[in-house]
Amino acid sequence: GQQLNQSPQSMFIQEGEDVSMNCTSSSIFNTWLWYKQEPGEGPVLLIALYKAGELTSNGRLTAQFGITRKDSFLNISASIPSDVGIYFCAGQPLLDTGNQFYFGTGTSLTVIP
Amino acid sequence: NAGVTQTPKFQVLKTGQSMTLQCAQDMNHEYMSWYRQDPGMGLRLIHYSVGAGITDQGEVPNGYNVSRSTTEDFPLRLLSAAPSQTSVYFCASITPWGGGEAFFGQGTRLTVV
């Protein structure tokens, strides 16, 4: 299967700090998605990216589709306690015939008030 | 709007028992997937379907069967449960090819003893 390397694995930050995480793949992707998962719930889509170089924002969240098409970045500005959760990247390989997504291993975010 | 509905939410099985995890979507999506989520491993693709009557294996298909008789339903069957299948299972429904997005159910937490 596709290998997606997501880093960092976990982050402990003070409320108000900015957060950055990234995801890299071994092959070219045509779509990158970023999800947030809270305990006991399924992943919820935050941002979708469809073009290399695309920069998209959703409130305090900003994500970018890397120029090489093998990476993506998510930034959260001015973190708040409700940002706590696990963030996953997901990618759709360019040559995948099944229209399926592959996921990173997640970044666990803890925000200290 | 229901979106993706999974049942049951929790299940405990004895080793060797069989069961079916149900998944239904009301978005008329052709593409659906089953993932399992284990600590530190993100979501791994078990099986997927590109339409009624068409299924294929993902990254970790062993021990699981699927079928797709209708667009709406995509059940996952455990033929003979093993402790290694203890996990949280998520069903996803995916928008059409080319800039798609994956929508998830709330998950089924399965424990095999």
Side-chain angles (χ1 to χ4, degrees), chain B residues 7-27:
Chain B
T7 56
K9 198 166 174 66
F10 301 95
Q11 183 71 49
V12 178
L13 288 179
K14 292 182 179 179
T15 297
Q17 285 185 316
S18 63
M19 80 158 295
T20 300
L21 280 63
Q22 302 291 343
C23 177
Q25 53 97 1
D26 61 1
M27 296 174 281

Side-chain angles (χ1 to χ4, degrees), chain A residues 32 34 49 53-56 62-67 71-74:
Chain A
W32 282 99
W34 283 93
L49 302 161
E54 181 180 355
L55 187 72
T56 298
T62 301
Q64 185 163 24
F65 193 139
I67 291 293
D71 55 9
S72 181
F73 308 87
L74 176 69

Side-chain angles (χ1 to χ4, degrees), chain B residues 35-109:
Chain B
Y35 293 85
R36 60 177 288 172
Q37 185 176 30
D38 302 295
M41 302 192 74
L43 288 93
R44 292 183 292 167
L45 184 63
I46 303 172
H47 284 285
Y48 64 94
S49 170
V50 300
I54 307 171
T55 64
D56 207 345
Q57 297 180 349
E59 301 169 88
V60 288
N62 293 339
Y64 307 95
N65 272 1
V66 292
S67 61
R68 186 93 180 273
S69 56
T70 67
T71 299
E72 294 77 20
D73 301 301
F74 189 40
L76 177 73
R77 296 185 190 85
L78 281 71
L79 306 174
S80 178
S84 61
Q85 293 178 304
T86 294
S87 187
V88 182
Y89 291 85
F90 288 100
C91 176
S93 180
I94 303 172
T95 57
W97 180 261
E101 300 176 5
F103 297 91
F104 286 86
Q106 287 202 306
T108 296
R109 184 174 293 275

Side-chain angles (χ1 to χ4, degrees), chain A residues 40-104:
Chain A
E41 301 293 328
V44 174
L45 183 67
L46 298 173
I47 293 179
L49 302 161
Y50 304 115
K51 294 181 183 178
E54 181 180 355
L55 187 72
T56 298
S57 293
N58 178 6
R60 293 178 295 106
L61 278 62
T62 301
Q64 185 163 24
F65 193 139
I67 291 293
T68 66
R69 306 181 74 174
K70 291 184 177 183
D71 55 9
S72 181
F73 308 87
L74 176 69
N75 296 315
I76 305 173
S77 62
S79 59
I80 59 178
S82 62
D83 289 334
V84 166
I86 302 177
Y87 292 80
F88 290 99
C89 62
Q92 188 175 63
L94 180 64
L95 299 178
D96 188 275
T97 58
N99 193 29
Q100 296 303 314
F101 287 91
Y102 296 87
F103 282 76

